[in-house]
């Protein structure tokens, strides 16, 4: 299919070969289910969900080619042919020299943090991510947010809200010294900021800054292709570059990467740690055998490595990305037109509702975004997730809640799964819930897990 970058209409560059039937539930069923789940959408059973916008992680639809690749799984314990195919694909598309497969992104984060982060270190990053920060902390580090201030303002129209603020980086160096900064963690299409991109110019500037201070750049490349799409659409000098070219250029500016291939690369599981440095690779091989598996499978089946190799090539196609982000924008534009407050500009993988604006009567201590997510499920069986104070967790030293400026509900679109008509159903349900917002009550924890509490925490209505 021929999609030009300037086209305003888009269509999916595929047709549907197999379908999965959805179950429809009643209002009574859903009230019972959400109470049983402790008002946490992570604890709902999937079969009780109608449209599942919980996450874009591992829930994409694989292509017929990926499924064919699954049949070519070489399940040898060592030296699987699929590993070498995956390795070459990552080298060709993402530029990194050495690849260590892991069971998913956090497996790579664990190995990375254990190797590079020492007790008392500081790790600056363009906004935290839940598992990324936790692994930095478990290794003795402290995360420092160095994203531009606009990223914390849901109304700011800045086109690259994922950008790094160099004044914040300079301040960190002045405060703690370069020896205590093992690397800068830079995410492409920053999840927690609302799926917001970093510009090529900003990353180039970071390269110069890091070279000057002899600090590594580690790339959280989970959504690099979506970031590349925004650069192509918004940044001067890139409109005639392909997404594949921009992806390569982004990766080339960094020294190492962690990847959750469950997102961009459209497989159900998997990830990797990649780097250019030989001795870093040697250390990673030593650790991967402890936590994940041999360095040529790292917790992945051969068939999954094959599907990943094929998924990477599909993820950087311009027509794919146009339809992918086009669908997110379709949903976001419709909600905005109906007066719902969302994070602007619309991100790459999700539309984020501003729970503070929608539920002004619920204080942040009563978890407004969590309450809004639960209410959305009850209305029409649409499952979404909290991205606010519950996700932010507690300060590991003081035990106080981290109080993020952004109190959001994330409507995340799986890749190649739902249709435009599903999006229309979502819009109707969100509008109904927003109209009845005054009747939504705040929540209190009844059970709070020690780590990543948003996954398994339970609540009751205030
Ligand atoms: C999902 C994600 C991770 C963690 O990856 P998993 O595969 O879920 O372990 C890390 N960083 C970002 C930005 C993510 O979205």
């Amino acid at each position: 299919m021929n999609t030009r970058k300037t086209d305003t209409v888009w269509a999916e560059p595929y047709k549907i070969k197999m379908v999965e039937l959805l179950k429809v539930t009643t209002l009574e069923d859903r009230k019972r289910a959400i109470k049983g789940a402790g008002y946490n959408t992570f604890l709902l059973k999937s079969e009780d969900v109608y449209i599942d916008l919980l996450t874009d992680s591992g829930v994409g639809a694989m292509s017929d080619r990926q499924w064919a690749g699954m049949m070519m799984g070489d399940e040898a314990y060592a030296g699987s042919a699929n590993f070498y195919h995956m390795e070459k694909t990552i080298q060709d598309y993402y530029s990194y020299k050495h690849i260590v497969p892991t069971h998913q992104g956090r497996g790579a984060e664990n190995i990375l943090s254990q190797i590079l982060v020492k007790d008392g270190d500081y790790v600056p990053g363009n906004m935290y991510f839940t598992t990324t920060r936790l692994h930095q902390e478990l290794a003795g580090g402290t995360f420092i947010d160095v994203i531009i201030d606009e990223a914390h303002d849901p109304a700011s129209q800045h086109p690259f809200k994922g950008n790094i603020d160099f004044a914040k980086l300079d301040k960190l160096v002045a405060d703690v010294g370069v020896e205590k900064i093992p690397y800068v963690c830079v995410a492409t299409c920053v999840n927690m900021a609302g799926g917001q991109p970093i510009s090529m110019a900003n990353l180039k500037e970071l390269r110069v800054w890091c070279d000057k201070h002899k600090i590594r750049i580690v790339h959280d490349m989970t959504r690099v292709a979506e970031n590349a799409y925004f650069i192509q659409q918004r940044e001067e000098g890139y409109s005639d570059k392909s997404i594949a070219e921009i992806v390569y250029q982004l990766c080339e500016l960094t020294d190492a990467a962690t990847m959750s291939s469950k997102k961009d690369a459209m497989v159900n599981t998997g990830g990797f740690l990649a780097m250019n440095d030989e001795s870093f690779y040697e250390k990673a091989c030593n650790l991967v055998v402890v936590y994940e598996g041999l360095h040529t499978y790292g917790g992945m089946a051969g068939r999954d490595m094959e599907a990943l190799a094929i998924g990477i090539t599909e993820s950087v196609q311009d027509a794919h990305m146009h339809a992918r982000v086009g669908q997110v924008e379709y949903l976001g534009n419709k909600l905005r037109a109906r007066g719902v407050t969302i994070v602007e500009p619309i991100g790459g993988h999700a539309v984020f509702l501003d729970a503070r604006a929608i539920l002004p009567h619920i204080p942040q201590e009563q978890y407004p975004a969590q309450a809004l997510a639960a209410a959305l499920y009850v209305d029409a069986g649409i499952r979404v997730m909290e991205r606010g104070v519950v996700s932010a967790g507690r300060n590991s030293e003081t035990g106080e809640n981290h109080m993020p400026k952004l109190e959001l509900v994330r409507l995340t679109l799986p890749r190649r799964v739902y249709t435009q008509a599903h999006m229309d159903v979502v819009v109707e349900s969100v509008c109904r819930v927003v109209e009845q917002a005054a009747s939504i009550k705040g929540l209190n924890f009844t059970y709070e897990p020690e780590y990543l509490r948003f996954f398994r925490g339970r609540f009751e209505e205030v």
Side-chain angles (χ1 to χ4, degrees), residues 55-57 103-109 128-132 187-192 220-223 258-263 269-271 349 387 410 455:
T55 174
D56 61 336
S57 178
H103 75 286
Q104 54 183 78
R106 70 199 70 182
E109 292 171 343
Y128 83 100
F129 183 74
T130 53
T131 57
T132 318
T188 33
C189 245
V190 183
N191 191 348
M192 301 303 278
D220 183 340
M221 60 176 298
T222 298
R223 295 183 180 78
T258 55
M259 173 68 157
S260 168
S261 43
K262 305 170 71 166
K263 324 299 181 27
T269 193
H349 65 301
R387 276 299 182 223
R410 189 180 81 179
F455 281 133

Side-chain angles (χ1 to χ4, degrees), residues 312-329:
I312 289 170
T313 65
E314 292 177 2
S315 75
V316 299
Q317 301 305 315
D318 285 33
H320 162 69
M321 205 42 78
H322 198 168
R324 159 67 175 156
V325 181
Q327 189 179 44
V328 178
E329 288 175 340

Side-chain angles (χ1 to χ4, degrees), residues 123-126 132 136 143 164 183-187 216 218-220:
V123 185
N126 54 348
T132 318
Q136 292 161 1
F143 170 80
I164 284 176
Y183 60 92
V184 177
C185 178
V186 57
R216 277 195 175 95
V218 176
H219 180 195
D220 183 340

Side-chain angles (χ1 to χ4, degrees), residues 242-434:
S242 70
I243 288 175
E245 287 171 299
I246 300 170
V247 164
Y248 193 89
Q249 236 184 302
L250 285 166
C251 294
E252 231 187 350
L253 284 166
T254 68
D255 301 296
T258 55
M259 173 68 157
S260 168
S261 43
K262 305 170 71 166
K263 324 299 181 27
D264 252 8
M266 292 178 288
V267 287
N268 300 121
T269 193
F272 58 82
L273 176 61
M275 70 287 280
N276 296 325
D277 182 296
E278 197 86 35
S279 70
F280 179 15
Y281 174 59
E282 176 55 28
K283 287 181 191 153
C285 287
N286 270 327
L287 278 185
V288 76
V289 295
V290 180
Y291 293 102
E292 305 283 323
L294 193 69
H295 64 290
T296 56
Y297 78 85
M300 291 181 75
R303 53 179 171 269
D304 290 325
M305 292 192 280
E306 190 62 29
L308 170 54
I310 299 166
I312 289 170
T313 65
E314 292 177 2
S315 75
V316 299
Q317 301 305 315
D318 285 33
H320 162 69
M321 205 42 78
H322 198 168
R324 159 67 175 156
V325 181
Q327 189 179 44
V328 178
E329 288 175 340
Y330 175 85
L331 175 62
N333 284 329
K334 279 218 151 179
L335 287 169
R336 185 172 43 202
R338 296 278 293 268
V340 179
T341 317
I342 60 170
V343 174
E344 312 262 358
I346 296 161
H349 65 301
V351 175
F352 291 74
L353 309 181
D354 184 353
R356 270 182 208 275
I358 294 167
L359 303 175
H361 62 288
I362 302 182
Q364 200 171 15
E365 297 75 44
Q366 293 179 6
Y367 312 112
Q370 186 79 25
L372 184 58
L376 265 166
Y377 170 72
V378 171
D379 181 72
I382 295 161
R383 171 155 72 169
V384 299
M385 89 154 81
E386 193 260 13
R387 276 299 182 223
V389 58
V390 178
S391 294
R394 290 181 189 276
N395 181 307
S396 51
E397 265 163 29
T398 66
E400 295 288 311
N401 276 322
H402 287 295
M403 286 292 190
K405 292 204 184 97
L406 298 179
E407 183 68 24
L408 309 175
V409 163
R410 189 180 81 179
L411 282 60
T412 333
L413 300 199
R415 296 166 181 79
R416 310 193 288 207
V417 171
Y418 291 112
T419 66
Q420 203 145 313
H422 287 122
M423 296 305 108
D424 292 340
V425 170
V426 173
V427 170
E428 291 309 318
S429 177
V430 171
C431 290
R432 251 191 325 269
V433 170
V434 169

